[in-house]
PDB file of all heavy atoms in Angstrom:
ATOM      1  N   ALA A 152      76.048  20.510   2.809  1.00  0.00           N
ATOM      2  CA  ALA A 152      75.053  19.449   3.069  1.00  0.00           C
ATOM      3  C   ALA A 152      74.782  18.594   1.862  1.00  0.00           C
ATOM      4  O   ALA A 152      74.613  17.366   1.957  1.00  0.00           O
ATOM      5  CB  ALA A 152      73.740  20.121   3.553  1.00  0.00           C
ATOM      6  N   LEU A 153      74.752  19.178   0.637  1.00  0.00           N
ATOM      7  CA  LEU A 153      74.532  18.400  -0.560  1.00  0.00           C
ATOM      8  C   LEU A 153      75.668  17.484  -0.889  1.00  0.00           C
ATOM      9  O   LEU A 153      75.466  16.317  -1.272  1.00  0.00           O
ATOM     10  CB  LEU A 153      74.290  19.349  -1.724  1.00  0.00           C
ATOM     11  CG  LEU A 153      72.921  20.168  -1.695  1.00  0.00           C
ATOM     12  CD1 LEU A 153      72.916  21.238  -2.776  1.00  0.00           C
ATOM     13  CD2 LEU A 153      71.760  19.266  -1.835  1.00  0.00           C
ATOM     14  N   ILE A 154      76.903  17.940  -0.690  1.00  0.00           N
ATOM     15  CA  ILE A 154      78.039  17.090  -0.891  1.00  0.00           C
ATOM     16  C   ILE A 154      78.065  15.957   0.136  1.00  0.00           C
ATOM     17  O   ILE A 154      78.386  14.797  -0.165  1.00  0.00           O
ATOM     18  CB  ILE A 154      79.369  17.894  -0.853  1.00  0.00           C
ATOM     19  CG1 ILE A 154      79.426  18.860  -2.030  1.00  0.00           C
ATOM     20  CG2 ILE A 154      80.585  17.002  -0.874  1.00  0.00           C
ATOM     21  CD1 ILE A 154      80.652  19.800  -1.999  1.00  0.00           C
ATOM     22  N   SER A 155      77.758  16.263   1.384  1.00  0.00           N
ATOM     23  CA  SER A 155      77.748  15.309   2.453  1.00  0.00           C
ATOM     24  C   SER A 155      76.697  14.240   2.139  1.00  0.00           C
ATOM     25  O   SER A 155      76.950  13.042   2.317  1.00  0.00           O
ATOM     26  CB  SER A 155      77.415  15.970   3.773  1.00  0.00           C
ATOM     27  OG  SER A 155      77.304  15.058   4.844  1.00  0.00           O
ATOM     28  N   ARG A 156      75.550  14.618   1.705  1.00  0.00           N
ATOM     29  CA  ARG A 156      74.485  13.711   1.407  1.00  0.00           C
ATOM     30  C   ARG A 156      74.922  12.705   0.308  1.00  0.00           C
ATOM     31  O   ARG A 156      74.688  11.514   0.394  1.00  0.00           O
ATOM     32  CB  ARG A 156      73.234  14.405   0.986  1.00  0.00           C
ATOM     33  CG  ARG A 156      71.987  13.484   0.843  1.00  0.00           C
ATOM     34  CD  ARG A 156      70.790  14.232   0.299  1.00  0.00           C
ATOM     35  NE  ARG A 156      70.532  15.495   1.048  1.00  0.00           N
ATOM     36  CZ  ARG A 156      69.799  16.445   0.548  1.00  0.00           C
ATOM     37  NH1 ARG A 156      69.242  16.429  -0.616  1.00  0.00           N
ATOM     38  NH2 ARG A 156      69.557  17.550   1.308  1.00  0.00           N
ATOM     39  N   ALA A 157      75.582  13.233  -0.690  1.00  0.00           N
ATOM     40  CA  ALA A 157      76.059  12.354  -1.821  1.00  0.00           C
ATOM     41  C   ALA A 157      77.059  11.372  -1.324  1.00  0.00           C
ATOM     42  O   ALA A 157      77.044  10.191  -1.696  1.00  0.00           O
ATOM     43  CB  ALA A 157      76.619  13.253  -2.944  1.00  0.00           C
ATOM     44  N   LYS A 158      77.977  11.789  -0.435  1.00  0.00           N
ATOM     45  CA  LYS A 158      79.010  10.897   0.099  1.00  0.00           C
ATOM     46  C   LYS A 158      78.373   9.878   1.045  1.00  0.00           C
ATOM     47  O   LYS A 158      78.827   8.723   1.077  1.00  0.00           O
ATOM     48  CB  LYS A 158      80.065  11.702   0.793  1.00  0.00           C
ATOM     49  CG  LYS A 158      80.938  12.521  -0.119  1.00  0.00           C
ATOM     50  CD  LYS A 158      82.114  13.172   0.543  1.00  0.00           C
ATOM     51  CE  LYS A 158      83.012  13.904  -0.439  1.00  0.00           C
ATOM     52  NZ  LYS A 158      84.259  14.493   0.189  1.00  0.00           N
ATOM     53  N   ASP A 159      77.356  10.279   1.787  1.00  0.00           N
ATOM     54  CA  ASP A 159      76.610   9.293   2.600  1.00  0.00           C
ATOM     55  C   ASP A 159      76.003   8.181   1.784  1.00  0.00           C
ATOM     56  O   ASP A 159      75.891   7.058   2.255  1.00  0.00           O
ATOM     57  CB  ASP A 159      75.488  10.027   3.389  1.00  0.00           C
ATOM     58  CG  ASP A 159      76.007  10.784   4.598  1.00  0.00           C
ATOM     59  OD1 ASP A 159      77.155  10.556   5.041  1.00  0.00           O
ATOM     60  OD2 ASP A 159      75.231  11.589   5.134  1.00  0.00           O
ATOM     61  N   GLU A 160      75.625   8.571   0.544  1.00  0.00           N
ATOM     62  CA  GLU A 160      75.074   7.594  -0.377  1.00  0.00           C
ATOM     63  C   GLU A 160      76.137   6.861  -1.159  1.00  0.00           C
ATOM     64  O   GLU A 160      75.797   6.108  -2.076  1.00  0.00           O
ATOM     65  CB  GLU A 160      74.041   8.311  -1.320  1.00  0.00           C
ATOM     66  CG  GLU A 160      72.818   8.862  -0.629  1.00  0.00           C
ATOM     67  CD  GLU A 160      71.907   7.751  -0.145  1.00  0.00           C
ATOM     68  OE1 GLU A 160      71.798   6.719  -0.817  1.00  0.00           O
ATOM     69  OE2 GLU A 160      71.331   7.935   0.975  1.00  0.00           O
ATOM     70  N   VAL A 161      77.378   7.147  -0.826  1.00  0.00           N
ATOM     71  CA  VAL A 161      78.566   6.467  -1.478  1.00  0.00           C
ATOM     72  C   VAL A 161      78.605   6.735  -2.997  1.00  0.00           C
ATOM     73  O   VAL A 161      78.840   5.852  -3.802  1.00  0.00           O
ATOM     74  CB  VAL A 161      78.562   4.961  -1.191  1.00  0.00           C
ATOM     75  CG1 VAL A 161      79.941   4.351  -1.490  1.00  0.00           C
ATOM     76  CG2 VAL A 161      78.154   4.645   0.230  1.00  0.00           C
ATOM     77  N   MET A 162      78.256   8.040  -3.330  1.00  0.00           N
ATOM     78  CA  MET A 162      78.285   8.396  -4.750  1.00  0.00           C
ATOM     79  C   MET A 162      79.608   8.972  -5.141  1.00  0.00           C
ATOM     80  O   MET A 162      80.214   9.749  -4.411  1.00  0.00           O
ATOM     81  CB  MET A 162      77.221   9.490  -4.994  1.00  0.00           C
ATOM     82  CG  MET A 162      75.791   9.045  -4.951  1.00  0.00           C
ATOM     83  SD  MET A 162      74.654  10.486  -5.336  1.00  0.00           S
ATOM     84  CE  MET A 162      73.085   9.659  -5.380  1.00  0.00           C
ATOM     85  N   THR A 163      80.034   8.643  -6.357  1.00  0.00           N
ATOM     86  CA  THR A 163      81.180   9.328  -6.920  1.00  0.00           C
ATOM     87  C   THR A 163      80.777  10.689  -7.386  1.00  0.00           C
ATOM     88  O   THR A 163      79.552  11.021  -7.434  1.00  0.00           O
ATOM     89  CB  THR A 163      81.752   8.550  -8.140  1.00  0.00           C
ATOM     90  OG1 THR A 163      80.699   8.487  -9.145  1.00  0.00           O
ATOM     91  CG2 THR A 163      82.137   7.119  -7.718  1.00  0.00           C
ATOM     92  N   VAL A 164      81.693  11.544  -7.771  1.00  0.00           N
ATOM     93  CA  VAL A 164      81.391  12.853  -8.269  1.00  0.00           C
ATOM     94  C   VAL A 164      80.489  12.738  -9.529  1.00  0.00           C
ATOM     95  O   VAL A 164      79.496  13.483  -9.682  1.00  0.00           O
ATOM     96  CB  VAL A 164      82.690  13.681  -8.627  1.00  0.00           C
ATOM     97  CG1 VAL A 164      82.266  14.951  -9.335  1.00  0.00           C
ATOM     98  CG2 VAL A 164      83.459  13.974  -7.362  1.00  0.00           C
ATOM     99  N   GLU A 165      80.859  11.819 -10.346  1.00  0.00           N
ATOM    100  CA  GLU A 165      80.054  11.611 -11.594  1.00  0.00           C
ATOM    101  C   GLU A 165      78.656  11.147 -11.319  1.00  0.00           C
ATOM    102  O   GLU A 165      77.686  11.679 -11.915  1.00  0.00           O
ATOM    103  CB  GLU A 165      80.788  10.586 -12.511  1.00  0.00           C
ATOM    104  CG  GLU A 165      82.099  10.969 -13.034  1.00  0.00           C
ATOM    105  CD  GLU A 165      83.240  10.927 -12.014  1.00  0.00           C
ATOM    106  OE1 GLU A 165      83.055  10.193 -10.960  1.00  0.00           O
ATOM    107  OE2 GLU A 165      84.263  11.566 -12.179  1.00  0.00           O
ATOM    108  N   GLU A 166      78.509  10.294 -10.362  1.00  0.00           N
ATOM    109  CA  GLU A 166      77.150   9.816  -9.929  1.00  0.00           C
ATOM    110  C   GLU A 166      76.367  10.932  -9.332  1.00  0.00           C
ATOM    111  O   GLU A 166      75.154  11.074  -9.554  1.00  0.00           O
ATOM    112  CB  GLU A 166      77.300   8.638  -8.991  1.00  0.00           C
ATOM    113  CG  GLU A 166      77.789   7.371  -9.642  1.00  0.00           C
ATOM    114  CD  GLU A 166      78.152   6.271  -8.653  1.00  0.00           C
ATOM    115  OE1 GLU A 166      78.438   6.635  -7.455  1.00  0.00           O
ATOM    116  OE2 GLU A 166      78.167   5.109  -9.043  1.00  0.00           O
ATOM    117  N   GLN A 167      77.029  11.793  -8.495  1.00  0.00           N
ATOM    118  CA  GLN A 167      76.338  12.884  -7.912  1.00  0.00           C
ATOM    119  C   GLN A 167      75.801  13.877  -8.959  1.00  0.00           C
ATOM    120  O   GLN A 167      74.722  14.397  -8.882  1.00  0.00           O
ATOM    121  CB  GLN A 167      77.242  13.630  -6.926  1.00  0.00           C
ATOM    122  CG  GLN A 167      76.598  14.772  -6.234  1.00  0.00           C
ATOM    123  CD  GLN A 167      77.520  15.503  -5.217  1.00  0.00           C
ATOM    124  OE1 GLN A 167      78.614  15.036  -4.949  1.00  0.00           O
ATOM    125  NE2 GLN A 167      77.057  16.666  -4.694  1.00  0.00           N
ATOM    126  N   ALA A 168      76.670  14.153  -9.976  1.00  0.00           N
ATOM    127  CA  ALA A 168      76.313  15.106 -11.034  1.00  0.00           C
ATOM    128  C   ALA A 168      75.126  14.527 -11.831  1.00  0.00           C
ATOM    129  O   ALA A 168      74.209  15.249 -12.226  1.00  0.00           O
ATOM    130  CB  ALA A 168      77.523  15.334 -11.927  1.00  0.00           C
ATOM    131  N   LYS A 169      75.146  13.204 -12.078  1.00  0.00           N
ATOM    132  CA  LYS A 169      74.121  12.584 -12.896  1.00  0.00           C
ATOM    133  C   LYS A 169      72.784  12.588 -12.146  1.00  0.00           C
ATOM    134  O   LYS A 169      71.726  12.732 -12.735  1.00  0.00           O
ATOM    135  CB  LYS A 169      74.554  11.141 -13.195  1.00  0.00           C
ATOM    136  CG  LYS A 169      73.606  10.435 -14.190  1.00  0.00           C
ATOM    137  CD  LYS A 169      74.113   9.057 -14.537  1.00  0.00           C
ATOM    138  CE  LYS A 169      73.223   8.403 -15.536  1.00  0.00           C
ATOM    139  NZ  LYS A 169      73.748   7.042 -15.917  1.00  0.00           N
ATOM    140  N   ALA A 170      72.857  12.505 -10.791  1.00  0.00           N
ATOM    141  CA  ALA A 170      71.645  12.414 -10.005  1.00  0.00           C
ATOM    142  C   ALA A 170      71.053  13.753  -9.661  1.00  0.00           C
ATOM    143  O   ALA A 170      69.945  13.900  -9.132  1.00  0.00           O
ATOM    144  CB  ALA A 170      71.913  11.693  -8.661  1.00  0.00           C
ATOM    145  N   ALA A 171      71.781  14.847  -9.987  1.00  0.00           N
ATOM    146  CA  ALA A 171      71.390  16.220  -9.663  1.00  0.00           C
ATOM    147  C   ALA A 171      70.038  16.548 -10.291  1.00  0.00           C
ATOM    148  O   ALA A 171      69.853  16.366 -11.525  1.00  0.00           O
ATOM    149  CB  ALA A 171      72.461  17.204 -10.028  1.00  0.00           C
ATOM    150  N   GLY A 172      69.112  17.014  -9.485  1.00  0.00           N
ATOM    151  CA  GLY A 172      67.774  17.361 -10.048  1.00  0.00           C
ATOM    152  C   GLY A 172      67.453  18.839  -9.993  1.00  0.00           C
ATOM    153  O   GLY A 172      66.488  19.329 -10.465  1.00  0.00           O
ATOM    154  N   THR A 173      68.354  19.610  -9.279  1.00  0.00           N
ATOM    155  CA  THR A 173      68.155  21.053  -9.216  1.00  0.00           C
ATOM    156  C   THR A 173      69.454  21.747  -9.567  1.00  0.00           C
ATOM    157  O   THR A 173      70.547  21.134  -9.599  1.00  0.00           O
ATOM    158  CB  THR A 173      67.759  21.511  -7.758  1.00  0.00           C
ATOM    159  OG1 THR A 173      68.857  21.197  -6.882  1.00  0.00           O
ATOM    160  CG2 THR A 173      66.537  20.718  -7.324  1.00  0.00           C
ATOM    161  N   HIS A 174      69.414  23.062  -9.749  1.00  0.00           N
ATOM    162  CA  HIS A 174      70.597  23.844 -10.079  1.00  0.00           C
ATOM    163  C   HIS A 174      71.612  23.730  -8.886  1.00  0.00           C
ATOM    164  O   HIS A 174      72.814  23.584  -9.142  1.00  0.00           O
ATOM    165  CB  HIS A 174      70.229  25.290 -10.332  1.00  0.00           C
ATOM    166  CG  HIS A 174      71.403  26.195 -10.533  1.00  0.00           C
ATOM    167  ND1 HIS A 174      72.299  26.031 -11.579  1.00  0.00           N
ATOM    168  CD2 HIS A 174      71.858  27.258  -9.787  1.00  0.00           C
ATOM    169  CE1 HIS A 174      73.247  26.954 -11.481  1.00  0.00           C
ATOM    170  NE2 HIS A 174      73.034  27.671 -10.403  1.00  0.00           N
ATOM    171  N   ASN A 175      71.114  23.852  -7.646  1.00  0.00           N
ATOM    172  CA  ASN A 175      72.032  23.793  -6.497  1.00  0.00           C
ATOM    173  C   ASN A 175      72.659  22.458  -6.406  1.00  0.00           C
ATOM    174  O   ASN A 175      73.851  22.355  -6.027  1.00  0.00           O
ATOM    175  CB  ASN A 175      71.276  24.123  -5.235  1.00  0.00           C
ATOM    176  CG  ASN A 175      71.104  25.620  -5.021  1.00  0.00           C
ATOM    177  OD1 ASN A 175      71.394  26.383  -5.929  1.00  0.00           O
ATOM    178  ND2 ASN A 175      70.692  26.021  -3.833  1.00  0.00           N
ATOM    179  N   GLU A 176      71.991  21.348  -6.700  1.00  0.00           N
ATOM    180  CA  GLU A 176      72.576  20.042  -6.661  1.00  0.00           C
ATOM    181  C   GLU A 176      73.632  19.861  -7.715  1.00  0.00           C
ATOM    182  O   GLU A 176      74.670  19.237  -7.510  1.00  0.00           O
ATOM    183  CB  GLU A 176      71.425  18.995  -6.801  1.00  0.00           C
ATOM    184  CG  GLU A 176      70.577  18.868  -5.576  1.00  0.00           C
ATOM    185  CD  GLU A 176      69.408  17.964  -5.769  1.00  0.00           C
ATOM    186  OE1 GLU A 176      69.230  17.485  -6.923  1.00  0.00           O
ATOM    187  OE2 GLU A 176      68.656  17.693  -4.834  1.00  0.00           O
ATOM    188  N   GLU A 177      73.370  20.396  -8.924  1.00  0.00           N
ATOM    189  CA  GLU A 177      74.344  20.356 -10.010  1.00  0.00           C
ATOM    190  C   GLU A 177      75.567  21.177  -9.657  1.00  0.00           C
ATOM    191  O   GLU A 177      76.702  20.767  -9.832  1.00  0.00           O
ATOM    192  CB  GLU A 177      73.703  20.862 -11.294  1.00  0.00           C
ATOM    193  CG  GLU A 177      74.585  20.811 -12.515  1.00  0.00           C
ATOM    194  CD  GLU A 177      75.476  22.059 -12.714  1.00  0.00           C
ATOM    195  OE1 GLU A 177      75.068  23.131 -12.258  1.00  0.00           O
ATOM    196  OE2 GLU A 177      76.593  21.884 -13.287  1.00  0.00           O
ATOM    197  N   LEU A 178      75.336  22.356  -8.961  1.00  0.00           N
ATOM    198  CA  LEU A 178      76.431  23.173  -8.554  1.00  0.00           C
ATOM    199  C   LEU A 178      77.294  22.529  -7.486  1.00  0.00           C
ATOM    200  O   LEU A 178      78.520  22.587  -7.536  1.00  0.00           O
ATOM    201  CB  LEU A 178      75.875  24.547  -8.066  1.00  0.00           C
ATOM    202  CG  LEU A 178      76.939  25.580  -7.634  1.00  0.00           C
ATOM    203  CD1 LEU A 178      77.747  25.989  -8.831  1.00  0.00           C
ATOM    204  CD2 LEU A 178      76.241  26.828  -7.019  1.00  0.00           C
ATOM    205  N   ALA A 179      76.597  21.864  -6.569  1.00  0.00           N
ATOM    206  CA  ALA A 179      77.351  21.150  -5.502  1.00  0.00           C
ATOM    207  C   ALA A 179      78.281  20.124  -6.071  1.00  0.00           C
ATOM    208  O   ALA A 179      79.396  19.896  -5.649  1.00  0.00           O
ATOM    209  CB  ALA A 179      76.374  20.572  -4.526  1.00  0.00           C
TER     210      ALA A 179
END
Side-chain angles (χ1 to χ4, degrees):
L153 291 172
I154 293 175
S155 177
R156 189 186 308 163
K158 290 186 176 184
D159 281 346
E160 293 292 322
V161 197
M162 289 183 175
T163 63
V164 172
E165 295 75 21
E166 289 169 338
Q167 182 180 351
K169 188 175 181 180
T173 66
H174 174 63
N175 278 12
E176 289 175 352
E177 184 274 331
L178 182 63

